[in-house]
Amino acid sequence: MNGSSIIATIRTPTMRTPAAIMKHVESFHFRCFLLTKPFSSFPSSLPIDPEPPDHDLPLLLHSILSKPNWQKHPSLPKLLPSISPSHVHSLFSLNPYLLPQTALDFSYWISQKPTFKHSVYSYSALLNILVAYKFFGPADKIRLAMIKSSASIHESRFVFELLMEMNKNEQLHSCFKLSLRSYNFLLMSLSKFLMIDEMKSVYSEMLNNRVSPNIFTWNTMVNGYCKIGNVVEAQRYVTKIVQAGLNPDTFTYTSLILGHCRNKDVDSAFRIFRMMPSKGCRRNEVSYTNLIHGLCEAERVDEAIKLFEAMGEDFCYPTVRTYTVIIFGLCETGRKSEGIKLFKEMSQKGCEPNAHTYTVIIDSLCKDNKVDEAREMVGRMLGKGLVPSVVTYNALIDGYCKHGAMEAALEVLGTMESNNCFPNERTYNELIAGFCKKNLHKAMAFLDKMLELKLVPNVVTYNSLIHGQCKMGQLDNAFRLLEMMKENGLVPDQWTYSVLIDSLCKVDRIEEARNLFDSLKEKSLKANEVIYTALIDGYCKVGKIEDANYLLDRMINQGCLPNSCTYNAIIDGLCNMKNMKEALSTVKKMAGMGVKPTVDTYTIFIKWMLKEGDFDHAHGNLDQLISSGCQPDVLTYTAFIRAYCGSGRLKEAEDMMIRMKEEGVFPDSLTYTLLLDAYGCLGLMHSAFDVLKCMFDAGCEPSHHTYSILFKYLLKDRGTKDDSPAVNLVSNGMLFDHADVWKSMEFDTALELFEKMRQHGCVPNANTYGKLIIGLCKVGRFVVVQKLFDHMRDQGISPGEDAYNSLLNCFCELGMYDNAMIVVDLMIKSSQLPHLDSYRQLICGLYDQGDKEKVDTLFANLLRCGYSSDEVAWKILIDGLLKKGLADRCSELLSIMEKMGCQLHPNTYSLLIEGIDGA
């Protein structure tokens, strides 16, 4: 690398200026220039169309700096708000022969402006110029400023690599080698980001360059190792302090306290803490806070509080971090009210909470289902001038996602981005997990968004998506995600395989589930109790009890202890086969393994006894359940209500519903529907609608089965009055086919239902219309559905995504593709995503009709809706066109995807190419 180098500098897309050719004289200069590339992220935060154009700023600045008295140039005040560290970096990098004094003066001038802060990259480009001109004094100061400005692990690594390279340069070694001060600051920067290997390299280089460490050096090394809990290695540097004739100081001992706490050895930390005064070292606020934090993490919160209260004995006062640590400890151990009380006391004692303190409270509120209060707390933060961090916003997003409030979660995401707080992997993992419960297509789209933002999906990301696909019955997509995960270098874990095995069992693909289970050994992955239980349950569901028992024995022999879920799966299977003797024997085996029966165990027996009409023994089991310390759940009570309703014992069913509510157990849609059906069967329609009112009041959404039962009895009443054939549909009481009801329903029946609902205080809402539409679409009654849509709009109610998708699917099933396209347009205009299964059916149908142009338009519009490109390729191209043998059409749509810039995973692309070539 000695001698001159000719370098053609190609601009990044964000700068878009002509290439420049520069000749560099110094050998290290080449290395610095390569390392100091501008960040493409900076210009995105600048005005869209500044005057002059943003990408011309470095050129214009160079022109201004070339003139004498440049500080007085009339254009500078106008340009100032637009100048970013990226522009300064480009200015210095592209003009290495800029006079060093001018570069220094401009660097100082711009740094005095409140809106500007140098980055490690702008400093590095300036350092490049100063060293080339042998301005070593100012260069040393800039080098220190660059080290101190490292704000991330990436920046710290960049500085480390740059300085190590410069230090190796022979021409610079004698006149610009790293000083002890520079080494110490570099070590501090690396320690901040736990870059221990790099710290070791720097320390070794110090010794090789005969730079003698001082106590600051050794203390930094001690602190670095203690941050990762490696007290043994930290002690080596404590020994070096002693060997040098120095005494460990407060910083040394405080670091060791931290190290022991990080190593979960709080007692050793306490020993050091107590020893400090005898060593002549004053305990400071950090010493106390480190130990308090360790105690809180060990759930020894009361001891932490005592230590907190004793700080004054050492003339120490709690810092904001001390308070935050205690508040966090209280909240994490379920003592949230005490944590909030201490939070309120902070300000009264002159210690204002910081952003981290607020984040602890916000996270605690979200975990306590108080998301709206948490959001108000964010407002208070902002009102005090505090800036919420990505952790703050993530806590709020996670809270909303866990409650299914996805619109609110997206609002928080928008606020976060508008405040220049950039989402991280955790943000997207939370959103993906939330959308997997509500809208799988959006969850998949967020995977694409992560990749677009250069965020790296991890095992948690893929596990959420695989679980989501499995819940929706999309097992092919789940296995495609598994392959994608492995292609990306991630190792699927036990959770990944447990979900897949469980889902295969649920659709009776037991052999495939067993093959996947057997393959775990080859993958060096040990099956856990969740995986074993999933497969055991699968065998029991199809009556293969012997296989289930064999697997149970193997599980125990492998040292994997069965849990209550494992035994419950076998007990349920035995009860379904009416083998009560073996079921009771399994309960004894369960107890012999130290596993107590759970509410599910008792409920399995109760359900079987009720099915056999043995109410006395069922009640005996209920009493036994309660006396064992368990509490009956909604499934237990619903089993009794179902049995009482089925045998016409409505009073007992009502009493059980009352008892259930008194015990704080909330009935679900099935519980209410069973009672409603029983009232209807006895002709007590007023009481049936009272049950519906209870559902509305409790916020329990009726299902389309609930509404079909109401229609059943409305049709029965109508048939009784006018001798309609509809009476035959419902004459068998509670035994009926829901499909027959929907087939017999007319629009005026729906209007009659709405009127009766209003009379009982149940105003029909979007859910009501949606459930009716779903039921009618299942039997192809699109004429009634269209009337319901019109009526819905007249009432000012917007159709939901489920209703639209049901209608879309109905039209596709009936081959009414023009109507289906109208529904797609309506959905897109209202920002709703049609199901890709319907898109697939629609596109294949349009191709069958020879409407290629319609397909091209439809597909291009689909790609603009924000679906995951991979999911589009899987569902439409692979599962649709290739399976139908339409390889040419598949190739055409793939070309449209490529032209529109859709990025496909290499695994997806390979599947497509193989399919097209194979055809």
Side-chain angles (χ1 to χ4, degrees), residues 615 637-654 656-657 670-682 691 713 733-734:
F615 285 88
Y637 286 111
T638 301
F640 277 101
I641 290 167
R642 181 194 289 276
Y644 283 130
C645 288
S647 57
R649 297 166 65 174
L650 207 50
K651 178 69 172 65
E652 285 98 326
E654 290 170 345
M656 191 58 75
M657 181 74 93
L670 175 60
T671 321
Y672 282 115
T673 302
L674 288 166
L675 196 57
L676 182 150
D677 193 11
Y679 282 127
C681 189
L682 295 174
V691 173
Y713 294 115
M734 295 193 346

Side-chain angles (χ1 to χ4, degrees), residues 1 51 60 163 201 265 270 272 345 347 486 612 643-644 671 695 698 781 784 794 806 822 839 849 858 867 869 889 895:
M1 286 182 57
E51 279 293 334
L60 187 55
L163 295 183
S201 297
D265 183 3
F270 238 132
I272 299 237
E345 286 176 5
S347 299
K486 290 192 278 193
E612 295 296 309
Y644 283 130
T671 321
M695 290 185 79
R781 299 295 308 284
V784 182
D794 292 343
S806 293
I822 291 168
Y839 260 124
Q849 290 182 175
L858 180 72
Y867 292 93
S869 299
R889 300 302 185 206
S895 296

Side-chain angles (χ1 to χ4, degrees), residues 498-536:
S498 69
V499 168
L500 291 166
I501 289 167
D502 185 52
S503 300
L504 286 168
C505 290
K506 279 184 168 63
V507 292
D508 294 339
R509 290 163 63 175
I510 308 294
E511 289 310 310
E512 291 174 68
R514 183 55 187 260
N515 290 337
L516 187 59
F517 174 85
D518 290 339
S519 73
L520 296 182
K521 191 174 181 181
E522 301 163 17
K523 298 177 176 69
S524 300
L525 196 66
K526 191 176 180 181
N528 62 7
E529 69 276 11
V530 180
I531 296 173
Y532 272 109
T533 301
L535 191 53
I536 286 169

Side-chain angles (χ1 to χ4, degrees), residues 375 378 382 388 393 396-397 408-423:
R375 195 160 187 175
V378 172
L382 293 166
Y393 286 115
L396 202 52
I397 287 171
L410 290 177
E411 280 178 27
V412 175
L413 179 67
T415 304
M416 181 180 184
E417 291 174 330
S418 66
N419 289 337
N420 291 320
C421 181
F422 300 106

Side-chain angles (χ1 to χ4, degrees), residues 883-899:
K883 278 191 178 173
K884 285 196 68 159
L886 301 174
D888 290 342
R889 300 302 185 206
C890 177
S891 185
E892 288 167 6
L893 295 192
L894 179 58
S895 296
I896 291 174
M897 291 186 80
E898 288 169 343
K899 284 174 187 171

